[in-house]
């Protein structure tokens, strides 16, 4: 049994009004039993402070933002800096989500900048990687994911790299109802871990939490999380319902 941190993180994306979001956080906080899974709520920015206050006494619940800007501050209208997140007590930040890459022009280079500044503000990055269907069909998915990881993360010191969580989210499985099979997930997670071992050594690779994301739900979470290199999930749609989300956290 690995000693890696097990994580189930919800990514609420652009869902829930303020009152709906606080109600969801209250329901999750009330129903989630203490255990050895780190459970993260990735809320829209406007919910962070209130949700942080709701979850603060639960031993397993933590807070994530879904993005941050790569500059320390300044004239970037509409953006949020890592220092602002830090000042609210946010612990994690999701970076490089495929929706950010697709709709907001994020690249491996901007993800790399964001990872560095997030770490400098004591935020733990959850860095998303994953291929489009056409890339998988061309048999190039491992090459692409390897490149995304190398470009975004391999300038980090071993000490900083030790703080990173990686989320493998095949783009074709996000919000589509299609899920990577447990074998497909394991194959990619094993590849990612080997890639990390080649760069940072076996000890760091074995200690890195690698999450699966893409139509993960109560019905399939257990078969995915039982794979040796799958250390939990990054959950979109199913994180918006307390009972589904909690069922997923109970799937180990
Ligand atoms: P779904 O679980 O809705 O497919 O979303 C996955 C995801 O993008 C989590 O970041």
């Amino acid at each position: 049994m690995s000693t890696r941190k097990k994580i189930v993180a919800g990514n609420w994306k652009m869902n829930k009004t303020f009152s709906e979001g606080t109600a969801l956080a209250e329901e999750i906080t009330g129903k989630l039993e203490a255990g050895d899974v780190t459970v993260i709520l990735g809320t829209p920015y406007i919910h962070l402070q209130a949700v942080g206050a709701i979850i603060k006494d639960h031993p397993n619940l933590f807070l994530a933002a879904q993005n941050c800007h790569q500059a320390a501050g300044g004239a970037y209208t509409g953006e949020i800096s890592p220092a602002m997140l830090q000042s609210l007590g946010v612990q994690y930040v999701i970076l490089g989500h495929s929706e950010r890459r697709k709709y907001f022009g994020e690249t491996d280079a901007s993800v790399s900048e964001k990872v560095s500044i997030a770490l400098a503000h004591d935020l733990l990055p959850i860095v998303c990687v994953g291929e489009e269907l056409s890339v998988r069909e061309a048999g190039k998915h491992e090459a692409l994911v390897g490149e995304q990881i190398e470009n975004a993360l391999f300038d980090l010191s071993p000490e900083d790299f030790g703080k990173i969580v990686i989320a493998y989210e095949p783009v074709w499985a996000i919000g589509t109802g299609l899920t990577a099979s447990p074998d497909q997930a394991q194959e990619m997670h094993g590849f990612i871990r080997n890639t990390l071992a080649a760069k940072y050594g076996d000890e760091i690779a074995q200690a890195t939490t690698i999450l699966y994301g893409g139509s993960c739900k109560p019905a399939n979470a257990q078969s995915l999380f039982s794979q040796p290199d799958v250390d939990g999930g990054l959950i979109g749609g199913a994180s918006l319902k307390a009972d589904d989300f909690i069922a997923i956290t109970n799937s180990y």
Side-chain angles (χ1 to χ4, degrees):
M1 191 70 191
S2 98
T3 54
R4 287 188 285 276
K5 194 193 270 191
K6 300 174 195 168
I7 295 179
V8 173
N11 175 8
W12 293 5
K13 308 191 180 184
M14 195 174 76
N15 292 295
K16 302 288 177 191
T17 63
F18 183 74
S19 58
E20 290 166 352
T22 53
L24 176 61
E26 269 161 13
E27 193 179 352
I28 291 169
T29 306
K31 290 182 172 172
L32 182 72
E33 288 176 23
D36 62 355
V37 181
T38 294
V39 181
I40 301 172
L41 305 185
T43 80
Y45 291 131
I46 66 150
H47 299 74
L48 287 169
Q49 185 176 17
V51 171
I54 291 166
I55 68 175
K56 75 175 185 332
D57 293 327
H58 195 295
N60 301 110
L61 277 170
F62 299 87
L63 197 55
Q66 299 172 15
N67 181 32
C68 68
H69 197 267
Q70 60 268 46
Y76 299 98
T77 300
E79 290 294 318
I80 296 287
S81 74
M84 294 173 187
L85 299 177
Q86 184 186 33
S87 73
L88 286 185
V90 175
Q91 294 101 358
Y92 290 87
V93 60
I94 299 168
L95 294 173
H97 192 281
S98 62
E99 288 147 19
R100 302 276 336 153
R101 295 176 191 256
K102 181 172 175 192
Y103 302 124
F104 302 98
E106 290 220 3
T107 61
D108 292 343
S110 63
V111 176
S112 167
E113 287 182 279
K114 289 179 180 202
V115 166
S116 296
I117 191 160
L119 288 169
H121 290 85
D122 295 328
L123 298 164
L124 301 173
I126 300 172
V127 178
C128 303
V129 295
E131 80 286 355
E132 305 263 356
L133 187 57
S134 59
V135 174
R136 178 165 281 266
E137 284 172 346
K140 298 198 168 129
H141 43 294
E142 289 189 350
L144 180 100
V145 167
E147 211 171 274
Q148 289 174 325
I149 289 174
E150 183 176 338
N151 293 342
L153 297 173
F154 279 6
D155 59 346
L156 294 175
S157 67
E159 192 196 341
D160 275 345
F161 187 84
K163 299 170 188 161
I164 300 293
V165 174
I166 293 178
Y168 168 58
E169 298 205 306
V171 178
W172 48 271
I174 295 178
T176 57
L178 295 174
T179 315
S181 68
D183 286 348
Q184 285 174 319
Q186 170 55 31
E187 189 178 42
M188 181 60 87
H189 283 228
F191 166 78
I192 291 172
R193 204 173 303 286
N194 289 339
T195 303
L196 304 184
K199 168 73 179 173
Y200 288 106
D202 213 38
E203 196 176 326
I204 288 182
Q206 288 302 329
T208 302
T209 294
I210 306 175
L211 308 179
Y212 169 80
S215 299
C216 189
K217 44 190 182 262
N220 59 26
Q222 194 164 19
S223 60
L224 289 160
F225 297 174
S226 63
Q227 298 301 310
D229 287 297
V230 177
D231 307 314
L234 182 55
I235 320 298
S239 75
L240 299 172
K241 290 197 191 119
D243 290 339
D244 284 357
F245 187 58
I246 288 170
I248 292 172
T249 71
N250 290 334
S251 293
Y252 280 102

